Amino acid sequence: MRGALVVGVCAVLLSRVAPALTAPPGGTFVGVLGGDGALTPIAVFNGHDWWNAWPWAAESDELKALPVPSSLDAIPADWLPPGLRLPRDWKVLRHSGATAHLKTLRPVQTTLDGLMDTFTIATTFRPGTGGDALAIAGPGVLGTFVTPSRDETERVLRQVTSRVETLERAALDQWRDEQKASKMNTASALTRVYRTSGPAGNKYVTVRPVDEAPDYGLTKASDRIEGMTNYYLRSEKLFKVKPDDECMINLSSNGLVVVDRVGAVSSDKISSSAYSEYCGDAPESTMPLGTVRIGTRMLWVMRVNLEDGFDYTLFDPLLGGGVELKGGWGFRTK
């Protein structure tokens, strides 16, 4: 269920209070434009709550079989928050940082491979390169994520690397314990490997390539919150139990890092996990796409990649957790 997806991505909240939001007339709609130029509605704020009642294909075969509405006006009322209709006029934040206007045209069957939503909305937008782009209708401002400078990245990572390495060791220890409990043969020492690409495909080597990216990467929200800079940390490492193993263990770390005005890390919400079921692929990965600000409150829009597809959700960096979205299909009474 989509609610479980949000919980899985952002499980624990920090004990801080988010500012109240001002009720916008007509609501604020947030969506993502894919490479086909179609809009996926991902969240609606009605002035009191965030909603996502849009049909989710992963929920059931029944939802996959729903008929495509013939027009925007024909979209069933229970696909949206009570009393609201899908707007026709939207703004999109291009990857260059420029804002463009678009119009929604009609619902269509999802064409993007792996997208878990059943329907998207055809638009007048003509996509360029660069992947997903954020769109908004109603009161609110979209923002970007940017890559910090090398010096800035090193300053932050110096303060959190030791903690992340501790989390990674604990994740590998837990993986070993689970393997032992299932009577699997595991080595006490694992071999780190690196993926390289060439004309013959991927190859895995034990010597770190000279062009290998750093173990930990950072991206940051362009807007501060209460004077704090918010970063998103991501990392992926691969290990083999035996040198001739074809499958590997994926050790992933990700999460929020908050830095104060003088550059000191004030808090973080980082987690690590070790997984070997998908032969080196992580069971789940998240990537921030951008921000949406309504009044004084800013949220992150996240893309969530899973084994069987991808979807989008909202993350509250002030609280350190996912935003509860009302109206999910899995929580409706029959």
Side-chain angles (χ1 to χ4, degrees), residues 91-278:
K91 290 182 292 186
V92 57
L93 183 63
R94 295 184 179 274
H95 295 286
S96 64
T99 301
H101 292 269
L102 65 87
K103 289 187 178 294
T104 52
L105 300 175
R106 62 191 176 280
V108 294
Q109 196 78 36
T110 295
T111 59
L112 291 180
D113 186 32
L115 178 61
M116 291 185 170
D117 290 81
T118 307
F119 304 108
T120 53
I121 305 295
T123 74
T124 57
F125 182 67
R126 295 298 171 260
T129 58
D132 299 327
L134 295 189
I136 191 169
V141 178
L142 298 177
T144 60
F145 274 80
V146 297
T147 302
S149 68
R150 180 176 177 178
D151 288 346
E152 182 181 356
T153 298
E154 290 178 350
R155 257 194 327 268
V156 175
L157 291 181
R158 274 197 299 268
Q159 300 176 68
V160 298
T161 296
S162 176
R163 166 163 163 70
V164 179
E165 290 174 344
T166 299
L167 293 171
E168 290 175 336
R169 286 192 294 270
L172 287 173
D173 286 343
Q174 180 180 345
W175 177 84
R176 289 188 183 96
D177 290 342
E178 291 170 353
Q179 297 299 301
K180 290 175 183 175
S182 60
K183 313 295 186 189
M184 297 294 289
N185 235 345
T186 60
S188 57
L190 303 173
T191 302
R192 174 84 184 269
V193 295
Y194 304 87
R195 182 188 287 119
T196 63
S197 299
N202 292 333
K203 187 169 64 171
Y204 297 90
V205 297
T206 56
V207 177
R208 188 185 189 100
V210 293
D211 59 348
E212 177 75 7
D215 284 342
Y216 307 109
L218 288 178
T219 184
K220 73 173 179 180
S222 55
D223 294 332
R224 293 186 175 187
I225 302 177
E226 298 180 356
M228 301 290 197
T229 303
N230 291 265
Y231 299 83
Y232 189 72
L233 178 145
R234 292 181 68 191
S235 172
E236 183 178 271
K237 300 177 182 178
L238 298 175
F239 295 86
K240 285 189 175 184
V241 176
K242 299 175 183 178
D244 57 347
D245 282 348
E246 292 187 5
C247 287
M248 288 151 287
I249 304 163
N250 183 295
L251 177 62
S252 300
S253 300
N254 61 72
L256 172 71
V257 179
V258 182
V259 174
D260 65 19
R261 291 179 176 87
V262 298
V265 173
S266 63
S267 64
D268 70 70
K269 182 59 185 171
I270 302 170
S271 62
S272 299
S273 62
Y275 200 77
S276 58
E277 297 302 315
Y278 299 154

Side-chain angles (χ1 to χ4, degrees), residues 27-113:
T28 294
F29 288 70
V30 179
V32 177
L33 287 153
D36 58 354
L39 176 76
T40 302
I42 66 165
V44 184
F45 181 65
N46 67 354
H48 303 284
D49 301 295
W50 282 96
W51 287 70
N52 189 351
W54 203 250
W56 198 44
E59 192 66 53
S60 69
D61 291 335
E62 178 186 357
L63 292 189
K64 294 178 184 178
L66 287 172
V68 180
S70 58
S71 66
L72 297 180
D73 291 334
I75 293 174
D78 64 350
W79 292 14
L80 298 165
L84 296 182
R85 305 302 299 170
L86 193 80
R88 282 175 164 76
D89 296 312
W90 291 66
K91 290 182 292 186
V92 57
L93 183 63
R94 295 184 179 274
H95 295 286
S96 64
T99 301
H101 292 269
L102 65 87
K103 289 187 178 294
T104 52
L105 300 175
R106 62 191 176 280
V108 294
Q109 196 78 36
T110 295
T111 59
L112 291 180
D113 186 32

